[in-house]
């Protein structure tokens, strides 16, 4: 089983940038599609982005398109989320998520496809 550990959260001002990291360990972590969800206080969990095992396919939630960029380094078993032009509405706990992949192009779009969750990292954006 894969274990996921997020890092890079923090408190920033609107318009600032942050980069989150998700380090995977365990059995063959690089054959998982990886991505991020977030949950804001009082709201349901929201899909943010996913990247396929190959790294060639990505899928972004509408609220982050054009501002967030996901990437992965399979040699380091790490996925990165570069978040630019942050807004107060981006404030949330961000969770790394992995889904077993049998295709290099597979990516998930919903939480029901996720097999492994990280514990989360908090991002706070103040206006």
């Amino acid at each position: 089983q894969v274990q996921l550990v997020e890092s890079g959260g923090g408190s920033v001002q609107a318009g600032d940038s942050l980069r989150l990291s998700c380090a995977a360990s365990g059995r063959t972590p690089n054959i998982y599609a990886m991505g991020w969800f977030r949950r804001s206080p009082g709201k349901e969990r929201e899909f943010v982005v996913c990247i396929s095992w190959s790294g060639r396919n990505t899928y972004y939630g509408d609220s982050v398109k054009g501002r967030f960029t996901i990437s992965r380094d399979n040699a380091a078993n790490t996925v990165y989320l570069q978040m630019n032009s942050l807004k107060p509405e981006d404030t949330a706990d961000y969770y790394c998520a992995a889904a077993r992949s049998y295709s290099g192009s597979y990516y998930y779009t919903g939480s029901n496809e996720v097999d492994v969750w990280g514990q989360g990292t908090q991002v706070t954006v103040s206006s």
Side-chain angles (χ1 to χ4, degrees):
Q1 182 71 319
V2 171
Q3 293 83 44
L4 306 174
V5 178
E6 303 97 332
S7 61
S11 297
V12 296
Q13 298 286 324
D16 286 350
S17 298
L18 273 177
R19 189 175 81 156
L20 305 183
S21 299
C22 174
S25 61
R27 185 175 181 180
T28 55
N30 63 337
I31 58 170
Y32 283 71
M34 303 284 292
W36 298 85
F37 290 77
R38 66 186 183 186
R39 177 174 282 163
S40 302
K43 295 185 179 181
E44 293 187 356
R45 181 166 52 198
E46 176 188 9
F47 170 81
V48 177
V49 62
C50 181
I51 186 168
S52 64
W53 168 32
S54 68
R56 292 192 294 269
N57 303 89
T58 57
Y59 185 79
Y60 290 87
D62 289 340
S63 61
V64 305
K65 283 180 182 177
R67 299 188 298 121
F68 290 12
T69 303
I70 191 170
S71 61
R72 68 187 296 162
D73 181 348
N74 284 345
N77 293 326
T78 302
V79 172
Y80 305 97
L81 182 62
Q82 179 66 42
M83 305 186 295
N84 297 330
S85 302
L86 283 162
K87 304 175 182 179
E89 49 264 43
D90 294 317
T91 294
D93 291 325
Y94 284 72
Y95 297 89
C96 183
R100 294 183 190 89
S101 173
Y102 299 97
S103 165
S105 60
Y106 166 77
Y107 56 87
Y108 60 74
T109 60
S111 60
N112 60 322
E113 300 172 70
V114 172
D115 296 301
V116 185
W117 294 93
Q119 293 188 332
T121 186
Q122 188 174 53
V123 172
T124 302
V125 184
S126 55
S127 57

